[in-house]
Amino acid sequence: MRGNSVIKRVLTVVLAFFLSIVIFVMSVCVVAKATVFNKSFIINCMDKCGYFSDLDHEIKQSLTDLGYASGLDEGFSESVFDEVFLKEQTDKYLDAYYSGESTVVDTVDFEQKFSAALDNYISDKNIDPDTVNSNSRYVLTKNAAEIFKNNIKIPMFTTIANYFYKAQFGLTVIIISSAVLTVLIAVTMLLLNKWRHRFYRNLSYGSLGATLAVLIIPVAGYISGFASKVNFTQRSAYNLFVTTVNQCQAGFLLAAAVLVIISLILILLYRRSYNKVK
């Protein structure tokens, strides 16, 4: 009988260890699903870091440089589009990306706006439209569209696209599987423990272990400060990356806080059950 009791205790400890791993994996996947794999989260990060304002300045500066080579005034780029248009095009790009439809930025709307801005510029400057070389205008429009496309697309998104789409489905499978496995482990632990207080105690061990593991991620990120050390050619991309990393770390802290609350509830249940046995 004593031998069986020792075996049950060992099995319970092992199960508590595996439970902490399963809860940790599930927590990581839930945070990932709610952050980087969530379009609304990315848009929120863009708003927080002033992404559209920075991007608007970067694109218009590049268009100004392009315009100089074609004899356009410095103020021409300001008339092509505004931040509202930029937000709409970014939203369209992210919609297509997150749905798996395309990783390519659609420049049709931009080319139409650029062409309309050229027409207005020619009219305002009293330039005879017949004197404008159609081929040069076409090349200028396409070069401007290329600048717009390269600035709108988020660095690394195209590179990781294939892995991104597979991971989206994989995260859902892992979350569901982890939840089922958590229930099965908990039921097994309940069957192995004659006393209810031991069951609560071992569940709290698993929960606390997962909490510590989840906390390692944001703590390591904050201590290393790796997000601020990554180099980007665009200020907008750099600020977006730093903000996204910081918000993800905040997500892990929130997940850890939830696990702490669950652990405290389990500890309280353990104390209450233990007192009843005494």
Side-chain angles (χ1 to χ4, degrees):
M1 290 293 291
R2 184 174 180 81
N4 290 336
S5 178
V6 171
I7 292 174
K8 286 183 179 181
R9 289 185 180 182
V10 172
L11 285 175
T12 302
V13 171
V14 172
L15 286 173
F17 173 73
F18 279 112
L19 179 63
S20 66
I21 295 175
V22 172
I23 294 175
F24 167 72
V25 171
M26 182 168 59
S27 300
V28 170
C29 290
V30 168
V31 172
K33 191 80 172 175
T35 54
V36 292
F37 287 89
N38 181 1
K39 188 199 111 177
S40 297
F41 170 81
I42 298 297
I43 292 291
N44 184 55
C45 288
M46 289 177 170
D47 290 333
K48 280 181 178 294
C49 69
Y51 176 79
F52 295 109
S53 178
D54 289 338
L55 187 62
D56 180 77
H57 174 74
E58 289 164 357
I59 295 176
K60 286 179 178 176
Q61 184 59 54
S62 296
L63 291 179
T64 297
D65 295 339
L66 177 67
Y68 277 146
S70 301
L72 298 175
D73 291 346
E74 184 177 351
F76 169 75
S77 62
E78 295 294 331
S79 65
V80 179
F81 64 89
D82 54 18
E83 279 191 39
V84 174
F85 175 77
L86 203 56
K87 289 181 180 181
E88 290 173 350
Q89 294 303 303
T90 302
D91 191 69
K92 185 189 294 185
Y93 162 64
L94 291 175
D95 268 338
Y97 187 88
Y98 275 86
S99 64
E101 293 177 9
S102 174
T103 61
V104 180
V105 178
D106 185 1
T107 60
V108 173
D109 291 340
F110 172 80
E111 288 179 26
Q112 290 176 350
K113 274 193 167 291
F114 190 84
S115 183
L118 280 176
D119 289 336
N120 291 333
Y121 181 84
I122 291 171
S123 176
D124 292 342
K125 296 295 182 180
N126 295 317
I127 301 172
D128 184 356
D130 294 332
T131 63
V132 178
N133 186 291
S134 59
N135 185 60
S136 297
R137 175 171 175 158
Y138 174 81
V139 171
L140 176 63
T141 302
K142 287 299 180 182
N143 287 338
E146 190 68 20
I147 289 172
F148 183 79
K149 180 180 72 175
N150 290 335
N151 280 272
I152 284 288
K153 66 181 180 182
I154 298 174
M156 295 300 293
F157 260 38
T158 304
T159 306
I160 65 171
N162 291 330
Y163 306 103
F164 188 88
Y165 303 139
K166 292 176 182 177
Q168 276 186 314
F169 175 74
L171 285 175
T172 303
V173 173
I174 293 174
I175 291 170
I176 295 173
S177 300
S178 298
V180 172
L181 195 55
T182 298
V183 173
L184 290 176
I185 292 175
V187 170
T188 304
M189 291 170 69
L190 179 62
L191 295 174
L192 286 173
N193 288 281
K194 177 181 178 181
W195 304 105
R196 187 62 59 87
H197 67 279
R198 290 180 181 175
F199 168 67
Y200 290 132
R201 181 188 62 190
N202 292 319
L203 280 182
S204 68
Y205 288 163
S207 181
L208 287 170
T211 301
L212 292 174
V214 170
L215 274 174
I216 290 173
I217 298 174
V219 169
Y222 284 125
I223 291 175
S224 65
F226 83 96
S228 60
K229 297 176 183 177
V230 178
N231 294 319
F232 286 94
T233 56
Q234 296 171 287
R235 174 184 171 85
S236 57
Y238 172 79
N239 288 338
L240 177 60
F241 178 76
V242 172
T243 302
T244 301
V245 171
N246 288 338
Q247 291 300 305
C248 286
Q249 290 174 338
F252 282 111
L253 288 175
L254 178 60
V258 171
L259 289 174
V260 166
I261 293 172
I262 294 173
S263 299
L264 289 175
I265 292 173
L266 290 171
I267 291 172
L268 289 174
L269 290 172
Y270 160 71
R271 294 301 304 174
R272 180 181 296 180
S273 299
Y274 182 75
N275 291 333
K276 287 181 180 181
V277 173
K278 289 174 64 178

